[in-house]
Amino acid sequence: MRYASLGSGSKGNATLIAEGDTTVLVDCGFAAREAIARMERLAFDPASLRAVLVTHEHGDHGKGVRALCRKLNIPAYMSAGTAIGLKSRQEPHVRIIDATSTFQLGSIEVQPVIVPHDARETCQFVFSAGGARLGLLTDLGHITPFIAQCYQNLDALILEANHDPVMLAEGPYPASLKRRVGGDFGHLSNEQSADLLRQMDLDRLQQVVIAHISEQNNDPARARTVLAAAMPGHEHKLRISTQEAGFDWCQVQTRIEDPA
Ligand SMILES: [Zn+2]
Ligand SMILES: [Zn+2]
């Protein structure tokens, strides 16, 4: 399995997940034309995209979904709540998923995970393909025990580290927005993300991509320092995803099971 980002942050998110001849895009928070240009930048032919998966209706995830799906004539998979949020419930490209059930898209198994965020029915995803497991986890206000359990035994993880609490408190956002971002249905702070990493099997985890970093309320170096402290001896596995560049293709190595 391999994956890449078209860009990550409050101005737009989109992530490619690929295994064999199946490639899906998670979210399209860019205008369709911009998303296509960014896919081509990653040497990926948009015409071979199989589907878009949508985590939730916020503009930085859903803005370009309808136009991209129409242009490429592909379906968009999303929860019923997200379809309502996007005013797309009746549109022909939309496929409603059961957010509590795993489903298959070509060579990729998709496990939706419902997360606490201020949208109607936000799902993040764990992907299994080619003997490896990749977790994508952004846009949530806190880690529930259920989420921590779903994101166990991963080979790679794309993880939100949205804000530094002090920078958020002292930053330019109005008080209501500060409460929203830092609240239980907002976004993960660097420390909250580090807490999840402390619960994970770091020997198995090959890569951790730090994503959805706030340009106003965080600093990539600060995020990296806090997350690195949660994974002593594994700090070299950290990468940063940026708003402009996203990140280039990463290959997840298929795990060889130890003989019993
Ligand atoms: Zn977002
Ligand atoms: Zn959101």
Side-chain angles (χ1 to χ4, degrees):
M1 187 164 30
R2 51 191 209 121
Y3 60 101
S5 168
L6 278 56
S8 175
S10 60
K11 296 187 184 125
N13 297 272
T15 310
L16 288 165
I17 315 284
E19 169 66 24
D21 59 2
T22 305
T23 304
V24 299
L25 184 69
V26 184
D27 292 328
C28 187
F30 301 99
R33 184 183 302 184
E34 175 72 15
I36 285 170
R38 287 175 180 240
M39 283 188 253
E40 288 168 345
R41 186 172 78 182
L42 289 160
F44 177 74
D45 176 7
S48 58
L49 198 63
R50 180 180 182 118
V52 180
L53 294 167
V54 189
T55 59
H56 64 300
E57 66 269 27
H58 288 162
D60 58 323
H61 300 262
K63 183 167 77 180
V65 171
R66 177 186 293 118
L68 186 73
C69 288
R70 283 185 182 162
K71 206 172 194 121
L72 301 177
N73 192 28
I74 54 172
Y77 292 80
M78 62 188 79
S79 67
T82 296
I84 292 166
L86 285 173
K87 300 183 172 57
S88 292
R89 190 74 177 84
Q90 307 298 335
E91 292 178 340
H93 66 280
V94 171
R95 308 281 182 276
I96 302 298
I97 61 169
D98 172 359
T100 64
S101 298
T102 296
F103 61 100
Q104 194 79 26
L105 280 177
S107 318
I108 302 174
E109 186 188 275
V110 183
Q111 178 191 358
V113 181
I114 297 171
V115 301
H117 189 54
D118 55 356
R120 284 175 184 257
E121 193 182 359
T122 308
C123 302
Q124 298 298 328
F125 299 105
V126 175
F127 303 95
S128 301
R133 275 163 54 81
L134 162 67
L136 172 61
L137 188 61
T138 71
D139 297 78
L140 69 166
H142 63 285
I143 308 274
T144 63
F146 171 70
I147 294 168
Q149 185 191 334
C150 291
Y151 285 78
Q152 290 302 313
N153 302 317
L154 295 180
D155 300 289
L157 172 62
I158 304 168
L159 177 62
E160 165 168 83
N162 175 257
H163 57 277
D164 172 80
V166 176
M167 287 179 75
L168 177 65
E170 295 175 353
Y173 280 11
S176 61
L177 189 52
K178 286 180 183 178
R179 276 196 300 275
R180 200 222 119 200
V181 168
D184 271 355
F185 292 85
H187 291 273
L188 293 183
S189 69
N190 298 335
E191 287 75 8
Q192 286 173 298
S193 302
D195 281 344
L196 178 67
L197 286 175
R198 287 192 186 91
Q199 301 173 48
M200 298 189 70
D201 177 357
L202 298 174
D203 289 327
R204 174 164 173 172
L205 201 54
Q206 298 165 29
Q207 302 131 13
V208 178
V209 180
I210 311 174
H212 218 305
I213 301 172
S214 170
E215 293 178 310
Q216 300 274 2
N217 305 311
N218 207 352
D219 158 36
R222 191 179 288 229
R224 183 192 282 271
T225 300
V226 174
L227 268 60
M231 43 196 302
H234 300 269
E235 301 90 341
H236 60 283
K237 298 174 180 176
L238 284 169
R239 289 164 152 253
I240 300 273
S241 186
T242 64
Q243 182 68 76
E244 184 41 46
F247 58 87
D248 204 352
W249 288 103
C250 297
Q251 177 80 41
V252 191
Q253 301 302 326
T254 300
R255 207 163 43 95
I256 311 294
E257 294 284 354
D258 291 334

